Every structure is written in C-alpha cells, then in structure tokens.
Amino acid sequence: MSIPIKNIIPALHSGFEGMHPGVAIDNVSIDSRSLQNNSGTLFFALSGQNRDGHIYIKDLIDKGVLNFVVSHIPVDVRGRANFYIVGNTLKALQDFAIYCRNLYDFPVIAITGSSGKTIVKEWLNYLLGPEYNIIRSPKSYNSQVGVALSVIGINEKHNLGIFEAGISTVGEMEKLQPIIRPDIGILTNIGPAHDEGFADRQEKIREKLKLFMGVKALILQKNADVEKELAPGIKTFTWSFVESADVHVTQQQEGGNTILSIAYNNEAFDVAVPFTDAPSVENAINSLMVLLHFGYSHDTIQERMAGLYPVELRLQVKNGINGCTIIDDSYSSDYQSLKIALDFLEQHKTHTKKTIILSDVFQSGFATEELYAKVAKLLAGHNISQVIGIGDTISKQLADFPNFYPYPTTQEFLSHYKASSFDNETILIKGARSFRFDEIVVFLEEKTHETVLEINLNAITHNLNFYKSRLKSETKVMVMVKAFGYGSGSYEIAKALSHQKVDYLGVAFADEGIALRNAGIGTPIIVMNPESSAFSAMAAYNLEPEIYSARELRAFIAVAQQKNLSNYPIHIKLDTGMHRLGFQENQLEELINLLKNNNLVSVKSIFSHLSSSDVPDYRDFTLDQIGKFESWSTRLMEALEITPLRHILNTSGIYNFPQAQYDMVRLGIGLYGVGNDETERKSLETVGTLKTVILQIKDIEPGESIGYSRRFIAPGKMRIATLPIGYADGMRRGWGNEKGYVTINGKKATITGTISMDMMMVDVTDINCKEGDRAVIFGASPTVVEMAEVLGTIPYEILTSISQRVKRVFYKE
Ligand SMILES: *Cc1c(COP(=O)(O)O)cnc(C)c1O
C-alpha cells in the first residue's frame, strides 16, 4: 500500500490542517505502542469508552509519526503534524477501509455466523492457498475495527479475499458490508451467541444477512428461518443432512475420521475429514461447499479435506528454559500476522533481549524480495537481537541481516541448537504450520508437570472495562494485584494492563511491589501492609505506603528525613468500620498534627475499606461507613488544606454503591472474573482455567476401593482416571470424596476417594476419554464460585491457594 496524502482527504471526507508534505502513507495504526509506527503511518486516534487515542499523539509525533486522523486537534500538538479532522475516527477508519477495498476488484468471501468463522476462514486459506494469493483477516479480526484493519491490508498482488465479520447488536453489519463488499457469503450457523444484543433470533438473523447484500452465492446449511429473511435475488447454495438441498450430506464415523458422503449435481463421492465432533464436521462441510462452488475436482477435494487440522489462534506466553519467556505462535507465518506477533512480543516481553525464530513467510501478496525487505525492516524496527530463520527462502533472503542464523529445516535446527544458547531472553516462535514449530516449543518450554493455570488476558481487559463502564469516565482505577495477582500472576497482569489506563496498582507487601518494578512496571504502586523494615527499599523502588497509624507515620517520616525525601506520596487509611487497619476518629487530631506543615511526605490519597459491600443485609452499615469516610476525610482535607484523591470502593462496592466512587476505586476480584451475584457474574469473563491431563486410566471391579483409607468402594464395574494434581497444588481435600468434579471432554467426572498430595482419581465410566486427554479442574465448569460454595469458603481463597508449582500460561485470543 502506498497512498498519496492528497487522496486521503476525500477518502475520509475529512477536514485538513497541516503542512501538506508530498509524502505517501504506507501503513495504518490504531495502537500507539506499536514500534511499527513511523513516518509512513496514518494513525487513527480512536476514542473508546476507556481509552482516547488523542492523548498519545504528542508521543507519536516525537517518534516521527506525521499523519493523524482526529476528531479534534489537542492544543499541545497543533502545527506539528498533518491532521485529518473528522466527526468520528472509527467511521473514518471504516471509510478508509472502503477506499482501500474499492481500489481492487477480485473475488471476496465473507464469513459470519455464531461460531466457526475463524476456523472456516483458516481452513479456506489452507484449502485454496495453492491456487490463490489470499488476503484474509488475521487471527479473529472480525469487529468494527478488526474488519477495517483486515481489509486495509489488501494489495495489488492479492486475487482472493477471505474476511470474517462478527457482530453483537443491531446496526453493526451494515457498517461492515461495504468494507468487505463480498461476492460469496458463508453463514456458518445461527446459535445463541450474542442473543442478548437482539430483540429475538429473527432480528439477529436479519442483521447477519445484511453482510450478504449483493453476493452472487450464499453458502449455508439449509434453514427455513434464515431463508425466509433473504432479500429477493440472493442465490443460495445450501447443504443439509436431512432435507433436500443443493448438496446432500450423510456422515459416518470411522476411527478418528468422519466419512462424509456428498451427493451433488447427480454425482456422489466420499470425503474423509480427520474429526468426529459435530462443530468441526459442520465447519468442514461449510469449507467444502466453497470448493464445490469453485468447481474443484473430487480428487482434489478428497486430498485437501483429509489434511484439515485443528486451528490454534491464540498467542501463548510460556515459561521457557534458562529463565526465557516463550511466545508461541507456531501455527502461522504470513506478513500480517507477523506484524501482530511483533507487537505482542513488545507488549509481553519480560527481558530486553529479544529473539525470533521465524520460518519462511507465506502469502503476503508481495514479490519475494520485496516481502523480505519488509520483514527485515520490521525486525530491525523492533530491535530484535537475534533472528533464527528456518526454511530455504528466509535463509537466503535475510542472509545479510545482523545476527541471523539460518537453518534449512526445523529438524536441522533441533539437531544443532544448544539449550545453553538461550538465556534470559524473550523468544517469539513463529512459523507456518508445515514447519512444525510446535516441536521447537516443546524443546524450549520449561519442563514442568502438565498441570497449568491458563490466564486469559483478553478476559482481564474485558472485566476491567465492564467495571469501568459502570463508573464515571474521570474516575481513576487502582487494580489490586496483591497475592501474586489473586493467584493469577502479578506482573504479567500488570503488564497486560499497562496500556489500559490503570492509575494505580495495589500490592500487600513491599517485595511484591519490588518484583513488579524489576519486571519493568512503571505504574504507581501502593503497598497496603508496609512494614517499617521495608521503608527504605520502598523509597528506592518508588513504592507508596499505606499509612494506617501514627506510629507507622512517625517511622516513615524518620526514614524520609534520613533519605532527604520531600513530598513523598503516602496514602492515609481510615478505619470506618472494618476494624483491620486505619486511623479511627479519635486519632485524627494526632494525624493532623503530624502532617501539618510537614513537607517530607505528601498525602496523595485518603481511603477506607468497606467490610460488607457484597452483603445486601448490611447496606445500612455500608452507608454508615461511607458517611464516616465523607466526614472524616473532609475534616482532614480542611485541616491540612489539601485535595487528595479519595477512594473507598472495592469490586462489590463498585457494583453496589457506585454513588460513592469518589476519585478512584480499587478493583480486585472482579478483574479476575468473579462477581458476587448472578447478574454481575454474567457480565464477566472467566480468567483462570486450571487444567491437567489424565495420567492413567484403569478398570475397577465392583467392591474394589480407590485411594487412601478406602474411602470409596466401587458399587459396580468402573473406569477410573488418575490426574496429577493434589492438595499440594491447592486442590482442597474437601472437594474429594464425591463432593467435587472435574470436566473431561465436556462431561463431569466425579472425584472418587480422597484427594492425595499430588494426585486424585475421577470417575470416567461414562466418559469417552483416553490417557493424555485434558481435564479442567476449574474454569467454565466447575467455576471457582461453585467450588467455594461446596467447600464453605470464598473464591478468593481458592484462587490464591493454587500453588506456585503450577505453571501459569498467559494467552490472548
Ligand atoms: C483486596 C483489597 C481490595 C480489593 O477487594 P476486592 O473485593 O477483591 O475487589 C480493595 N481494597 C483493599 C484495601 C484491599 O485490601
């Protein structure tokens, strides 16, 4: 893409203020953090509920970006760059995508539906790849922003587009349709996803069908509810297992395969696909329909469909050998996804040294030399310390790149590499599927037992935004990451949140704060239970103490004096009824005397903690705490003539008492996906999933016992699976002996017998499973809330008890 600046103004229907240089733009960005931002970037300052792109413009100008699409020009940057002024920057991004789309005229396939969009898109890319230069949505880029960014990647070498579109409410699809302007449509299915955004199922169907305006063919499973809503003139190409349709399919399982018997155009043939589960089979048939529509031969269809593979789209962050961090993106290697992966690397790196292991790059739509010149520029821009290239093309094309180590094949790399050559660095592993980089991941991953706590970083952001949406936009947010981020990993979470406008982080002890600083976290940090022995270290690491007593304040002031600190930020804690830490009413006078005319410390905030914000019966008590907080904090502010931040709400406080949000709130458990009532929970996403694998399966005869102390006797013939997780991992023993269950292949497996230190046994008599299959200990089912209820405790305790020997794996969708 190279678009002269003079073409941008009409494309965006924008106003203009700037210097009119004669340059062109060659990339688009909405992410101020990206190291890919440069003088060729057109930056769209999107304004969401929680983030406003306009505030990053000054920084971006300092980094050399010259062109900005804005809704207003911030005063401090006027005259320093080119500004395209529009009413709505998201709409401008979409208009720009429409402009890019209209520059090219080749067939485009659009996919929507309740599930399967990304898989069908990836499979079509694989199935049609040998014949076409395909541009497709990277990852699951199917939102109002994602679709626009996907389409903007089009260039003159492409000759087929495959884009997915996802919507959650009415009015969205008509914005996506002109961006994609498809020739062929695929409706994967209509399920319950996002029902809440629509009046009823028919309204959702009507909205989705807006994508297919003007298509020459719409592929779908025969469905009367859908077909009756179709605009006249839309030609469908349908399939069905039962009714008469253009393509009739019957299926039969054979080992791990499903044999699909296809009857089409008076011809019949069989196609084997390597899956047996219903969703995969449905996705496979939707993909196969495109091959039929394109007139592929039966032989080619059979051969390619047999090669379908599970799609992994998540970028996973894992602990590697020798203190390394691994970012696993071992399933794709195209130019668009390389750009995304490098941004991800930048945001999640935990070391300054960055290595990338990269295979040949495919399907960019660029000529080979041009492509690798672009790849080299990207890698240089990201300051990659070391590049290991695997494949003939990359080996040749990047030969002159500094610190480049070429290998012809993955096997060649694996037989030559030395584990000791990787040390305390972040390694991005990115390769096309055919290169089998998953084998490299296995070698570089830290070897631990198979129990992992998977943390979904998207869910964290979602949950943060849910609570923010209930607050005034100016209210600041402190995120509590004490106790190792409620068991989920404090610095990974702090890092993931670092661009989300979190104003403060809260930890319990100074050493937790020091660990965050050592991991490069710059956000202000409050230490909630500072011990006087840690005051010096706190000052050295820029950690701000909670001050809860006169004794503590005197000790801190002494350290401040000794270290020549001035106006060091402190946070005054008031005890309005929790009776844990904090000043009581009769101690305020002393506090005022200590602080009056003292410029060693400066009161950054005054706060208190609610004891029962989650208990409806104690509403009056909570209101009384809030009342005391109001009056005591006012007294301090007047006596000291200060206007610090005030805050009193924790998660359930935010939910139940938003009127008391003051200047800041302190979000804890809700961030980690646990709400205290049913409706609150529904709005949150599950963050942590604790998983393990089946070590062994055995058949048990009636009357035989299972586990310690013979607490379980088999009532009949049973199949038992042993899982490598026990109370030393944080599994409470009270959850054993048939009280609790795990989920294996979507089914509940009751825990039989007593949970031991490192293992437990579950009943899989009625579950189709084998050794090595995954078991979910908690996550979507059972939930931690459910476990806590049975165990007579609270979700906080379950989450924070997961032992440190359980590996944490962080991923983004
Ligand atoms: C832990 C903690 C919070 C967060 O509480 P949640 O119920 O997890 O939201 C807020 N404030 C203080 C002082 C805390 O110790």
Side-chain angles (χ1 to χ4, degrees), residues 120-132 134 283-284 286-291 296 300-301 303-309:
V120 170
K121 180 201 70 196
E122 291 298 309
W123 281 353
L124 285 175
N125 178 60
Y126 154 79
L127 293 166
L128 302 170
E131 284 75 37
Y132 295 92
I134 299 172
N283 293 333
N286 280 321
S287 307
L288 183 149
M289 291 291 284
V290 177
L291 298 185
Y296 277 79
T300 308
I301 294 178
E303 183 193 312
R304 296 207 183 149
M305 294 294 292
L308 291 184
Y309 52 88

mmCIF file of all heavy atoms in Angstrom, residues 120-132 134 283-284 286-291 296 300-301 303-309:
data_model
loop_
_atom_site.group_PDB
_atom_site.id
_atom_site.type_symbol
_atom_site.label_atom_id
_atom_site.label_comp_id
_atom_site.label_asym_id
_atom_site.label_seq_id
_atom_site.Cartn_x
_atom_site.Cartn_y
_atom_site.Cartn_z
ATOM 1 N N VAL A 120 -13.347 -21.704 9.747
ATOM 2 C CA VAL A 120 -13.672 -21.833 8.324
ATOM 3 C C VAL A 120 -12.742 -20.942 7.503
ATOM 4 O O VAL A 120 -12.232 -21.343 6.453
ATOM 5 C CB VAL A 120 -15.156 -21.497 8.076
ATOM 6 C CG1 VAL A 120 -15.447 -21.389 6.583
ATOM 7 C CG2 VAL A 120 -16.049 -22.558 8.719
ATOM 8 N N LYS A 121 -12.477 -19.735 7.994
ATOM 9 C CA LYS A 121 -11.585 -18.827 7.265
ATOM 10 C C LYS A 121 -10.182 -19.406 7.153
ATOM 11 O O LYS A 121 -9.585 -19.419 6.072
ATOM 12 C CB LYS A 121 -11.527 -17.483 7.998
ATOM 13 C CG LYS A 121 -10.641 -16.461 7.334
ATOM 14 C CD LYS A 121 -10.229 -15.395 8.327
ATOM 15 C CE LYS A 121 -9.272 -15.977 9.330
ATOM 16 N NZ LYS A 121 -9.078 -15.191 10.515
ATOM 17 N N GLU A 122 -9.662 -19.938 8.255
ATOM 18 C CA GLU A 122 -8.311 -20.517 8.220
ATOM 19 C C GLU A 122 -8.267 -21.750 7.324
ATOM 20 O O GLU A 122 -7.305 -21.964 6.589
ATOM 21 C CB GLU A 122 -7.851 -20.872 9.641
ATOM 22 C CG GLU A 122 -7.581 -19.666 10.522
ATOM 23 C CD GLU A 122 -6.467 -18.769 10.001
ATOM 24 O OE1 GLU A 122 -5.379 -19.282 9.695
ATOM 25 O OE2 GLU A 122 -6.704 -17.542 9.878
ATOM 26 N N TRP A 123 -9.311 -22.562 7.398
ATOM 27 C CA TRP A 123 -9.330 -23.762 6.561
ATOM 28 C C TRP A 123 -9.422 -23.400 5.072
ATOM 29 O O TRP A 123 -8.764 -24.000 4.233
ATOM 30 C CB TRP A 123 -10.488 -24.685 6.967
ATOM 31 C CG TRP A 123 -10.163 -25.483 8.195
ATOM 32 C CD1 TRP A 123 -8.952 -25.548 8.839
ATOM 33 C CD2 TRP A 123 -11.050 -26.320 8.936
ATOM 34 N NE1 TRP A 123 -9.042 -26.376 9.933
ATOM 35 C CE2 TRP A 123 -10.311 -26.869 10.019
ATOM 36 C CE3 TRP A 123 -12.399 -26.667 8.815
ATOM 37 C CZ2 TRP A 123 -10.882 -27.744 10.946
ATOM 38 C CZ3 TRP A 123 -12.967 -27.541 9.732
ATOM 39 C CH2 TRP A 123 -12.213 -28.062 10.792
ATOM 40 N N LEU A 124 -10.227 -22.404 4.767
ATOM 41 C CA LEU A 124 -10.324 -21.995 3.355
ATOM 42 C C LEU A 124 -8.984 -21.468 2.859
ATOM 43 O O LEU A 124 -8.587 -21.693 1.724
ATOM 44 C CB LEU A 124 -11.411 -20.931 3.174
ATOM 45 C CG LEU A 124 -12.843 -21.462 3.238
ATOM 46 C CD1 LEU A 124 -13.826 -20.308 3.157
ATOM 47 C CD2 LEU A 124 -13.114 -22.471 2.119
ATOM 48 N N ASN A 125 -8.297 -20.787 3.740
ATOM 49 C CA ASN A 125 -6.974 -20.281 3.378
ATOM 50 C C ASN A 125 -6.046 -21.449 3.024
ATOM 51 O O ASN A 125 -5.304 -21.411 2.053
ATOM 52 C CB ASN A 125 -6.423 -19.475 4.545
ATOM 53 C CG ASN A 125 -5.035 -18.956 4.268
ATOM 54 O OD1 ASN A 125 -4.840 -18.217 3.323
ATOM 55 N ND2 ASN A 125 -4.074 -19.377 5.079
ATOM 56 N N TYR A 126 -6.152 -22.516 3.819
ATOM 57 C CA TYR A 126 -5.333 -23.698 3.546
ATOM 58 C C TYR A 126 -5.822 -24.420 2.280
ATOM 59 O O TYR A 126 -5.027 -24.815 1.423
ATOM 60 C CB TYR A 126 -5.384 -24.625 4.768
ATOM 61 C CG TYR A 126 -5.152 -26.084 4.463
ATOM 62 C CD1 TYR A 126 -3.861 -26.576 4.265
ATOM 63 C CD2 TYR A 126 -6.227 -26.973 4.370
ATOM 64 C CE1 TYR A 126 -3.658 -27.912 3.970
ATOM 65 C CE2 TYR A 126 -6.027 -28.306 4.077
ATOM 66 C CZ TYR A 126 -4.737 -28.776 3.869
ATOM 67 O OH TYR A 126 -4.532 -30.099 3.568
ATOM 68 N N LEU A 127 -7.154 -24.551 2.136
ATOM 69 C CA LEU A 127 -7.702 -25.331 1.015
ATOM 70 C C LEU A 127 -7.486 -24.630 -0.329
ATOM 71 O O LEU A 127 -7.255 -25.272 -1.351
ATOM 72 C CB LEU A 127 -9.213 -25.563 1.231
ATOM 73 C CG LEU A 127 -9.588 -26.475 2.412
ATOM 74 C CD1 LEU A 127 -11.075 -26.352 2.740
ATOM 75 C CD2 LEU A 127 -9.228 -27.930 2.110
ATOM 76 N N LEU A 128 -7.579 -23.293 -0.328
ATOM 77 C CA LEU A 128 -7.498 -22.552 -1.589
ATOM 78 C C LEU A 128 -6.105 -21.973 -1.831
ATOM 79 O O LEU A 128 -5.817 -21.459 -2.909
ATOM 80 C CB LEU A 128 -8.535 -21.412 -1.582
ATOM 81 C CG LEU A 128 -9.997 -21.837 -1.380
ATOM 82 C CD1 LEU A 128 -10.879 -20.613 -1.147
ATOM 83 C CD2 LEU A 128 -10.511 -22.611 -2.590
ATOM 84 N N GLY A 129 -5.247 -22.074 -0.802
ATOM 85 C CA GLY A 129 -3.922 -21.456 -0.864
ATOM 86 C C GLY A 129 -3.095 -21.838 -2.084
ATOM 87 O O GLY A 129 -2.404 -20.977 -2.652
ATOM 88 N N PRO A 130 -3.124 -23.103 -2.507
ATOM 89 C CA PRO A 130 -2.279 -23.469 -3.653
ATOM 90 C C PRO A 130 -2.633 -22.703 -4.934
ATOM 91 O O PRO A 130 -1.773 -22.513 -5.786
ATOM 92 C CB PRO A 130 -2.554 -24.968 -3.827
ATOM 93 C CG PRO A 130 -3.004 -25.430 -2.478
ATOM 94 C CD PRO A 130 -3.751 -24.270 -1.874
ATOM 95 N N GLU A 131 -3.886 -22.264 -5.080
ATOM 96 C CA GLU A 131 -4.265 -21.610 -6.334
ATOM 97 C C GLU A 131 -4.316 -20.086 -6.240
ATOM 98 O O GLU A 131 -4.337 -19.410 -7.265
ATOM 99 C CB GLU A 131 -5.654 -22.090 -6.809
ATOM 100 C CG GLU A 131 -5.663 -23.478 -7.417
ATOM 101 C CD GLU A 131 -5.548 -24.587 -6.369
ATOM 102 O OE1 GLU A 131 -6.130 -24.449 -5.268
ATOM 103 O OE2 GLU A 131 -4.847 -25.568 -6.642
ATOM 104 N N TYR A 132 -4.424 -19.548 -5.027
ATOM 105 C CA TYR A 132 -4.690 -18.104 -4.918
ATOM 106 C C TYR A 132 -3.675 -17.403 -4.027
ATOM 107 O O TYR A 132 -3.106 -18.007 -3.120
ATOM 108 C CB TYR A 132 -6.086 -17.863 -4.324
ATOM 109 C CG TYR A 132 -7.214 -18.349 -5.201
ATOM 110 C CD1 TYR A 132 -7.727 -19.647 -5.055
ATOM 111 C CD2 TYR A 132 -7.756 -17.526 -6.184
ATOM 112 C CE1 TYR A 132 -8.756 -20.095 -5.862
ATOM 113 C CE2 TYR A 132 -8.789 -17.981 -6.997
ATOM 114 C CZ TYR A 132 -9.279 -19.262 -6.833
ATOM 115 O OH TYR A 132 -10.296 -19.695 -7.634
ATOM 116 N N ILE A 134 -3.984 -15.105 -1.240
ATOM 117 C CA ILE A 134 -5.158 -14.769 -0.428
ATOM 118 C C ILE A 134 -4.834 -13.673 0.587
ATOM 119 O O ILE A 134 -3.794 -13.709 1.249
ATOM 120 C CB ILE A 134 -5.648 -16.024 0.326
ATOM 121 C CG1 ILE A 134 -6.045 -17.103 -0.693
ATOM 122 C CG2 ILE A 134 -6.809 -15.689 1.258
ATOM 123 C CD1 ILE A 134 -6.352 -18.451 -0.073
ATOM 124 N N ASN A 283 -18.058 -27.179 10.267
ATOM 125 C CA ASN A 283 -17.104 -26.243 9.665
ATOM 126 C C ASN A 283 -16.479 -26.828 8.408
ATOM 127 O O ASN A 283 -16.258 -26.124 7.420
ATOM 128 C CB ASN A 283 -15.996 -25.894 10.661
ATOM 129 C CG ASN A 283 -16.510 -25.090 11.847
ATOM 130 O OD1 ASN A 283 -17.504 -24.377 11.717
ATOM 131 N ND2 ASN A 283 -15.857 -25.219 12.982
ATOM 132 N N ALA A 284 -16.186 -28.138 8.457
ATOM 133 C CA ALA A 284 -15.564 -28.793 7.300
ATOM 134 C C ALA A 284 -16.528 -28.771 6.112
ATOM 135 O O ALA A 284 -16.123 -28.505 4.977
ATOM 136 C CB ALA A 284 -15.171 -30.224 7.659
ATOM 137 N N ASN A 286 -18.982 -26.613 5.541
ATOM 138 C CA ASN A 286 -19.079 -25.240 5.019
ATOM 139 C C ASN A 286 -17.870 -24.905 4.140
ATOM 140 O O ASN A 286 -18.006 -24.243 3.116
ATOM 141 C CB ASN A 286 -19.199 -24.238 6.174
ATOM 142 C CG ASN A 286 -20.626 -24.167 6.716
ATOM 143 O OD1 ASN A 286 -21.592 -24.220 5.954
ATOM 144 N ND2 ASN A 286 -20.770 -24.064 8.029
ATOM 145 N N SER A 287 -16.697 -25.387 4.535
ATOM 146 C CA SER A 287 -15.497 -25.132 3.728
ATOM 147 C C SER A 287 -15.563 -25.900 2.407
ATOM 148 O O SER A 287 -15.236 -25.362 1.342
ATOM 149 C CB SER A 287 -14.235 -25.565 4.498
ATOM 150 O OG SER A 287 -14.198 -24.969 5.768
ATOM 151 N N LEU A 288 -15.996 -27.151 2.516
ATOM 152 C CA LEU A 288 -16.102 -27.996 1.321
ATOM 153 C C LEU A 288 -17.051 -27.394 0.284
ATOM 154 O O LEU A 288 -16.837 -27.485 -0.931
ATOM 155 C CB LEU A 288 -16.591 -29.371 1.767
ATOM 156 C CG LEU A 288 -16.749 -30.500 0.770
ATOM 157 C CD1 LEU A 288 -16.491 -31.824 1.480
ATOM 158 C CD2 LEU A 288 -18.121 -30.554 0.125
ATOM 159 N N MET A 289 -18.092 -26.724 0.778
ATOM 160 C CA MET A 289 -19.062 -26.100 -0.136
ATOM 161 C C MET A 289 -18.379 -25.069 -1.044
ATOM 162 O O MET A 289 -18.748 -24.893 -2.195
ATOM 163 C CB MET A 289 -20.174 -25.416 0.665
ATOM 164 C CG MET A 289 -21.100 -26.357 1.405
ATOM 165 S SD MET A 289 -22.155 -27.320 0.324
ATOM 166 C CE MET A 289 -23.377 -26.103 -0.169
ATOM 167 N N VAL A 290 -17.372 -24.381 -0.512
ATOM 168 C CA VAL A 290 -16.667 -23.389 -1.323
ATOM 169 C C VAL A 290 -15.893 -24.101 -2.439
ATOM 170 O O VAL A 290 -15.877 -23.666 -3.594
ATOM 171 C CB VAL A 290 -15.720 -22.532 -0.459
ATOM 172 C CG1 VAL A 290 -14.925 -21.555 -1.320
ATOM 173 C CG2 VAL A 290 -16.522 -21.781 0.602
ATOM 174 N N LEU A 291 -15.277 -25.221 -2.086
ATOM 175 C CA LEU A 291 -14.530 -25.980 -3.109
ATOM 176 C C LEU A 291 -15.479 -26.448 -4.209
ATOM 177 O O LEU A 291 -15.150 -26.383 -5.398
ATOM 178 C CB LEU A 291 -13.819 -27.179 -2.477
ATOM 179 C CG LEU A 291 -12.764 -26.858 -1.412
ATOM 180 C CD1 LEU A 291 -12.060 -28.135 -0.953
ATOM 181 C CD2 LEU A 291 -11.742 -25.857 -1.924
ATOM 182 N N TYR A 296 -13.809 -27.386 -7.894
ATOM 183 C CA TYR A 296 -12.650 -28.276 -7.692
ATOM 184 C C TYR A 296 -13.035 -29.730 -7.985
ATOM 185 O O TYR A 296 -14.187 -30.128 -7.790
ATOM 186 C CB TYR A 296 -12.152 -28.160 -6.247
ATOM 187 C CG TYR A 296 -11.223 -26.984 -6.011
ATOM 188 C CD1 TYR A 296 -11.726 -25.699 -5.857
ATOM 189 C CD2 TYR A 296 -9.847 -27.167 -5.951
ATOM 190 C CE1 TYR A 296 -10.885 -24.623 -5.650
ATOM 191 C CE2 TYR A 296 -8.989 -26.091 -5.735
ATOM 192 C CZ TYR A 296 -9.508 -24.819 -5.588
ATOM 193 O OH TYR A 296 -8.670 -23.755 -5.377
ATOM 194 N N THR A 300 -9.153 -33.609 -5.812
ATOM 195 C CA THR A 300 -8.513 -32.523 -5.059
ATOM 196 C C THR A 300 -9.256 -32.289 -3.746
ATOM 197 O O THR A 300 -8.640 -32.091 -2.690
ATOM 198 C CB THR A 300 -8.512 -31.229 -5.897
ATOM 199 O OG1 THR A 300 -7.959 -31.533 -7.171
ATOM 200 C CG2 THR A 300 -7.697 -30.139 -5.237
ATOM 201 N N ILE A 301 -10.577 -32.307 -3.818
ATOM 202 C CA ILE A 301 -11.361 -32.084 -2.593
ATOM 203 C C ILE A 301 -11.019 -33.151 -1.557
ATOM 204 O O ILE A 301 -10.741 -32.843 -0.389
ATOM 205 C CB ILE A 301 -12.876 -32.080 -2.904
ATOM 206 C CG1 ILE A 301 -13.219 -30.878 -3.794
ATOM 207 C CG2 ILE A 301 -13.695 -32.056 -1.619
ATOM 208 C CD1 ILE A 301 -14.675 -30.800 -4.205
ATOM 209 N N GLU A 303 -8.367 -35.007 -1.270
ATOM 210 C CA GLU A 303 -6.993 -34.905 -0.780
ATOM 211 C C GLU A 303 -6.841 -33.739 0.208
ATOM 212 O O GLU A 303 -6.266 -33.886 1.282
ATOM 213 C CB GLU A 303 -6.098 -34.700 -1.998
ATOM 214 C CG GLU A 303 -4.631 -34.643 -1.704
ATOM 215 C CD GLU A 303 -3.886 -34.110 -2.927
ATOM 216 O OE1 GLU A 303 -4.141 -34.614 -4.057
ATOM 217 O OE2 GLU A 303 -3.091 -33.162 -2.754
ATOM 218 N N ARG A 304 -7.396 -32.597 -0.154
ATOM 219 C CA ARG A 304 -7.182 -31.429 0.727
ATOM 220 C C ARG A 304 -8.000 -31.528 2.016
ATOM 221 O O ARG A 304 -7.515 -31.137 3.088
ATOM 222 C CB ARG A 304 -7.509 -30.135 -0.020
ATOM 223 C CG ARG A 304 -6.554 -29.948 -1.178
ATOM 224 C CD ARG A 304 -6.326 -28.524 -1.592
ATOM 225 N NE ARG A 304 -5.448 -28.542 -2.758
ATOM 226 C CZ ARG A 304 -5.459 -27.650 -3.735
ATOM 227 N NH1 ARG A 304 -6.297 -26.622 -3.671
ATOM 228 N NH2 ARG A 304 -4.641 -27.753 -4.743
ATOM 229 N N MET A 305 -9.225 -32.034 1.903
ATOM 230 C CA MET A 305 -10.051 -32.097 3.121
ATOM 231 C C MET A 305 -9.425 -33.047 4.144
ATOM 232 O O MET A 305 -9.559 -32.838 5.345
ATOM 233 C CB MET A 305 -11.480 -32.560 2.792
ATOM 234 C CG MET A 305 -12.284 -31.603 1.940
ATOM 235 S SD MET A 305 -12.665 -30.015 2.741
ATOM 236 C CE MET A 305 -13.778 -30.536 4.028
ATOM 237 N N ALA A 306 -8.740 -34.072 3.651
ATOM 238 C CA ALA A 306 -8.106 -35.014 4.581
ATOM 239 C C ALA A 306 -7.000 -34.325 5.380
ATOM 240 O O ALA A 306 -6.616 -34.789 6.445
ATOM 241 C CB ALA A 306 -7.542 -36.205 3.806
ATOM 242 N N GLY A 307 -6.504 -33.203 4.868
ATOM 243 C CA GLY A 307 -5.407 -32.503 5.550
ATOM 244 C C GLY A 307 -5.863 -31.415 6.504
ATOM 245 O O GLY A 307 -5.036 -30.673 7.038
ATOM 246 N N LEU A 308 -7.155 -31.266 6.731
ATOM 247 C CA LEU A 308 -7.612 -30.223 7.670
ATOM 248 C C LEU A 308 -7.004 -30.472 9.043
ATOM 249 O O LEU A 308 -6.782 -31.608 9.431
ATOM 250 C CB LEU A 308 -9.142 -30.217 7.763
ATOM 251 C CG LEU A 308 -9.878 -29.745 6.515
ATOM 252 C CD1 LEU A 308 -11.389 -29.711 6.792
ATOM 253 C CD2 LEU A 308 -9.404 -28.363 6.067
ATOM 254 N N TYR A 309 -6.783 -29.397 9.782
ATOM 255 C CA TYR A 309 -6.037 -29.514 11.033
ATOM 256 C C TYR A 309 -6.707 -28.634 12.082
ATOM 257 O O TYR A 309 -7.449 -27.713 11.752
ATOM 258 C CB TYR A 309 -4.602 -29.049 10.791
ATOM 259 C CG TYR A 309 -4.563 -27.676 10.151
ATOM 260 C CD1 TYR A 309 -4.567 -26.526 10.929
ATOM 261 C CD2 TYR A 309 -4.595 -27.541 8.755
ATOM 262 C CE1 TYR A 309 -4.587 -25.277 10.348
ATOM 263 C CE2 TYR A 309 -4.620 -26.288 8.164
ATOM 264 C CZ TYR A 309 -4.613 -25.163 8.957
ATOM 265 O OH TYR A 309 -4.654 -23.924 8.380
#
